[in-house]
Amino acid sequence: MMKSVFIGSGAYLPQRAIANDELSKTIDTSDEWIVARTGIRRRHVAAEGEFTSDLAYEAAKEALASAGMKASELDLIVLATATPDETFPATATVVQTRLGVAGIGAFDVQAVCTGFIYALAVANNFIKAGQSRNVLVIGAETFSRILDWQDRATCVLFGDGAGAVVLRAEPDQGNGARGIMSTHLHADGQHHDMLYVDGGPSSTRTTGHLRMKGKEVFRHAVVNLAQVVNEALQANDLEAEAIDWLVPHQANKRIIDHTAKKLKLPPEKVVLTVEEHGNTSAASVPLALHEAVSDGRITPGDVILMEAMGGGFTWGAVLARW
Ligand code: UT7
């Protein structure tokens, strides 16, 4: 059996950052409210003509460089996004063309904010089945394009960005060795109306805008995330003390604090980027992961617990040794 080992990471944020104070000039909100309720201070927004594939490509290039790998060595690209460049083809194929690697498999995964967790699980299974050796996994979003900028309850929360990792197949030498230990995916579609986009090619033939019942999503997020992180620990017969780094989905600092508290993890073990990035959906976990890897916090051999929850609802976790 093969194991998926992380050998590189990358990230990209659009140049323009919008601070809370700038938003309060156009909608009835304030820096105080946004910081107190979410922890967010600013978010990045893609430039006119800058697409999800552009963000993804930049993150992918950096991940390949840090892995010391040429794009030609890849045999699969899995890209998580809920904001593809176009309805089809998959944004993964746009990135593939820009990387100059025609012929290998390339497809998108759609699980909104849980997208990167789903994409990692898919890639991991390709590797474990012996079908892929070197896989590029990307989370990339331009949520700024689907926000209703007049709706203060949602537009202050999200941002654009991309993160990527390169996974390599290595013989499985058990949980003491580097690599993905387990993946855990869940969904419950009956909660559709709590977080969705009111448009789509088959229904309204428009792109639509994000709609969310924030309080309800919050309530489900804390319960579902607590459940799935425990599930990941139990599956590996580990106690929470074994976690070196919690790399959570960055939707709201209060949700992250709640998960860390349940795990009895001190704040120093939690990677936080929500303040600077806002909620970047499928990009949030790989952006946080790359930040902690590149600033030297996460080092080879560290146990990392990644988790996310989003529209659907979908939720999940990945436990790995970096
Ligand atoms: O990644 C996908 C998962 N998404 C999430 O995890 C998001 C989960 N939900 C949340 O993070 C929080 O529920 C929010 C940050 C969205 C909202 O926080 P809350 O503490 O649940 O506030 P609320 O929605 O209950 O709103 C409280 C008040 C309301 O006013 P009234 O009715 O009490 O007079 C809102 O109208 O705050 C008002 N409000 C705002 N005020 C200033 C809502 N948005 C804003 C705003 N600025 N931007």
Side-chain angles (χ1 to χ4, degrees):
M1 186 73 105
M2 303 306 276
K3 194 166 185 177
S4 311
V5 177
F6 291 92
I7 59 162
S9 67
Y12 180 78
L13 290 161
Q15 210 171 4
R16 181 160 180 236
I18 300 181
N20 293 343
D21 280 337
E22 194 177 334
L23 291 177
S24 66
K25 289 180 190 149
T26 51
I27 49 166
D28 181 15
T29 190
S30 65
D31 180 53
E32 294 71 34
W33 190 95
I34 301 171
V35 173
R37 299 292 177 123
T38 71
I40 299 167
R41 292 185 188 275
R42 56 190 68 77
R43 72 286 295 143
H44 291 254
V45 171
E48 199 58 43
E50 189 176 36
F51 302 149
T52 294
S53 62
D54 297 314
L55 278 46
Y57 173 63
E58 294 300 331
K61 271 197 307 187
E62 189 178 10
L64 285 165
S66 84
M69 185 182 277
K70 292 195 206 85
S72 58
E73 294 172 72
L74 293 171
D75 48 27
L76 184 67
I77 300 173
V78 185
L79 187 149
T81 190
T83 46
D85 290 9
E86 296 165 312
T87 302
F88 79 78
T91 300
T93 63
V94 181
V95 175
Q96 176 196 40
T97 302
R98 291 191 64 187
L99 289 172
V101 287
I104 66 169
F107 59 89
D108 289 358
V109 164
Q110 216 277 49
V112 204
C113 297
T114 321
F116 186 72
I117 301 292
Y118 268 69
L120 275 183
V122 169
N124 182 46
N125 284 330
F126 269 88
I127 285 177
K128 288 206 305 189
Q131 289 190 17
S132 300
R133 295 198 61 78
N134 296 321
V135 186
L136 176 63
V137 184
I138 309 169
E141 302 277 18
T142 46
F143 261 49
S144 63
R145 304 270 154 74
I146 55 163
L147 294 175
D148 174 352
W149 287 96
Q150 303 307 313
D151 176 15
R152 67 176 184 172
T154 54
C155 76
V156 304
L157 304 173
F158 296 90
D160 301 340
V165 295
V166 178
L167 294 176
R168 184 169 66 201
E170 288 185 7
D172 190 351
Q173 286 166 358
N175 278 351
R178 295 180 63 197
I180 292 180
M181 299 177 193
S182 63
T183 65
H184 307 268
L185 304 183
H186 297 280
D188 186 352
Q190 68 181 310
H191 301 296
H192 166 279
D193 292 355
M194 292 183 189
L195 179 50
Y196 68 105
V197 169
D198 60 1
S202 180
S203 54
T204 63
R205 287 175 261 174
T206 63
T207 307
H209 292 109
L210 183 149
R211 305 295 174 203
M212 179 167 76
K213 294 179 181 154
K215 244 188 182 19
E216 299 300 316
V217 177
F218 191 105
R219 214 164 45 78
H220 281 85
V222 292
V223 173
N224 292 344
L225 291 171
Q227 173 267 316
V228 80
V229 296
N230 281 329
E231 181 186 325
L233 288 169
Q234 275 170 21
N236 294 282
D237 215 5
L238 289 176
E239 299 294 330
E241 299 90 78
I243 301 168
D244 294 304
W245 298 103
L246 176 66
V247 187
H249 172 46
Q250 312 280 326
N252 185 320
K253 185 168 182 301
R254 289 188 291 141
I255 296 175
I256 297 171
D257 289 346
H258 190 275
T259 306
K261 201 168 152 200
K262 282 246 164 192
L263 290 167
K264 297 196 180 70
L265 282 183
E268 312 84 74
K269 289 188 163 197
V270 181
V271 181
L272 266 187
T273 53
V274 65
E275 187 171 317
E276 296 296 319
H277 302 170
N279 180 349
T280 57
S281 183
S284 101
V285 170
L287 271 166
L289 183 63
H290 178 70
E291 183 162 307
V293 168
S294 51
D295 68 18
R297 275 179 287 170
I298 295 179
T299 54
D302 283 355
V303 173
I304 56 173
L305 178 58
M306 297 172 265
E307 45 86 328
M309 143 96 190
F313 292 140
T314 56
W315 66 102
V318 174
L319 193 67
R321 199 176 275 282
W322 183 257

